[in-house]
Amino acid sequence: MLELNHELNNITRELDLKNDELAQLSVLKNQFLGMAAHDLRKPVGLILSYAEFLIDEAGGHLIEEHREFLQTIRGAALNMGRVVDDFLDVSLIEAGRFNLDEQSEDLALLAQAAVTLINLAAGKRDVRVKRALDADYTKLFADGPKLEQVLTNLLSNAVEHSPAGGTVTLRSRLVASELRVEVEDTGQGITPEQQQRLFQSFSRGQAARKTTGELSIGLGLAIARKIIEAHGGRMLVESVVGRGSVFGFTLPLSRVVSNPVAPAPCNSTQESAS
């Protein structure tokens, strides 16, 4: 018994040392992510600025093929900029410096801003984007820019995974003791196994594959989950292969300000001009 106890103590000490090493490596990883992202921002910004300058100033003098090249460069720079922002968010989250700037917000305005950002991509893919928000429950106490980031991510993913002629619907409704915000697409859907990996950082499952064939590094949904959990809510996903998916999140009623004048919820539906 004494020998076993001594051996167990040695193993425990070794585990403690390994845990300390892992914690130090995690700190170094977060520092590297933050430094790399900051260093990448400037060259990516320059590429984007010069691409936009050439499109605006010289676009009329170029042949169609060359204009398409510039648009491709601009699109790649925009995507890289979003990846850099994701890296910065991850480094802040894992370093414990992820704070909310909470104030009164309007879900309808946040949704409008998010839809505006993805309208160009939706139009190019011939995807309709519709809104069906419960007008009686749009006033929130939350971090508006971060919720807009979540909405933009969900809408962008839905558009990317929808076929030409498809429809993406953003809706909200009160369910039991929480506000439920959902984005439904008409894509191919994902399997239960893929759903389990969706909100993990750097997940590269088939669910992360875009319709263009490009693979996502899987940071957007992981960051969205952290934002929603910081608000006291939870992420959700429902999907059937071949029948599309519903991604969304919930917010507790403590963050929702209802309209006391309206006797019952009344849906207001809008469709973007994609």
Side-chain angles (χ1 to χ4, degrees):
M1 290 293 293
L2 289 174
E3 290 180 0
L4 289 173
N5 186 58
H6 181 68
E7 186 175 344
L8 181 61
N9 288 334
N10 288 337
I11 293 174
T12 301
R13 282 194 293 270
E14 290 179 6
L15 285 174
D16 289 340
L17 288 174
K18 294 297 182 182
N19 287 333
D20 288 340
E21 291 177 5
L22 287 174
Q24 293 173 11
L25 288 173
S26 180
V27 171
L28 290 174
K29 179 203 69 177
N30 293 333
Q31 291 176 348
F32 171 77
L33 281 177
M35 292 169 61
H38 278 294
D39 289 343
L40 284 170
R41 262 187 166 176
K42 185 174 181 179
V44 170
L46 284 174
I47 293 171
L48 179 60
S49 296
Y50 280 115
E52 291 179 339
F53 172 80
L54 289 173
I55 291 171
D56 292 338
E57 298 297 324
H61 304 286
L62 299 175
I63 63 175
E64 181 64 24
E65 183 182 22
H66 292 172
R67 284 197 297 270
E68 290 179 359
F69 289 163
L70 285 175
Q71 290 291 354
T72 299
I73 293 172
R74 178 182 179 275
L78 283 171
N79 288 335
M80 188 61 186
R82 285 192 285 268
V83 171
V84 169
D85 289 340
D86 285 346
F87 278 143
L88 284 172
D89 285 341
V90 167
S91 64
L92 289 174
I93 289 170
E94 297 195 357
R97 301 199 305 271
F98 188 76
N99 300 314
L100 298 180
D101 181 13
E102 300 167 301
Q103 51 189 308
S104 296
E105 297 287 351
D106 191 322
L107 180 61
L109 294 179
L110 299 177
Q112 179 180 343
V115 169
T116 299
L117 286 175
I118 59 93
N119 256 344
L120 179 60
K124 288 182 177 180
R125 295 189 54 78
D126 190 25
V127 174
R128 292 187 304 160
V129 181
K130 300 193 299 184
R131 281 171 282 168
L133 302 177
D134 190 327
D136 293 326
Y137 298 94
T138 62
K139 305 300 182 182
L140 307 174
F141 183 71
D143 187 319
K146 285 187 171 62
L147 283 188
E148 182 183 326
Q149 180 181 350
V150 174
L151 291 170
T152 302
N153 178 266
L154 296 180
L155 287 166
S156 178
N157 287 344
V159 168
E160 287 173 352
H161 289 84
S162 292
T167 301
V168 169
T169 303
L170 169 61
R171 58 176 176 261
S172 68
R173 53 197 172 101
L174 203 63
V175 179
S177 60
E178 57 191 16
L179 180 68
R180 186 173 173 127
V181 181
E182 301 172 332
V183 175
E184 182 176 10
D185 65 53
T186 52
Q188 62 182 355
I190 52 179
T191 67
E193 292 77 15
Q194 292 168 341
Q195 293 177 36
Q196 294 177 2
R197 301 193 303 269
L198 283 174
F199 302 106
Q200 300 173 7
S201 298
F202 306 105
S203 172
R204 292 178 66 93
Q206 289 298 318
R209 186 179 292 277
K210 302 177 183 179
T211 52
T212 58
E214 176 188 355
L215 277 173
S216 166
I217 58 175
L219 286 178
L221 287 176
I223 293 170
R225 185 192 69 180
K226 293 293 185 180
I227 291 174
I228 295 305
E229 288 179 349
H231 282 83
R234 57 189 175 85
M235 296 295 295
L236 55 91
V237 57
E238 299 172 358
S239 183
V240 177
V241 176
R243 295 176 57 185
S245 304
V246 176
F247 283 79
F249 60 87
T250 67
L251 292 175
L253 280 185
S254 58
R255 292 194 173 274
V256 182
V257 181
S258 63
N259 180 0
V261 177
C266 178
N267 286 346
S268 61
T269 303
Q270 295 176 302
E271 182 171 333
S272 67
S274 298

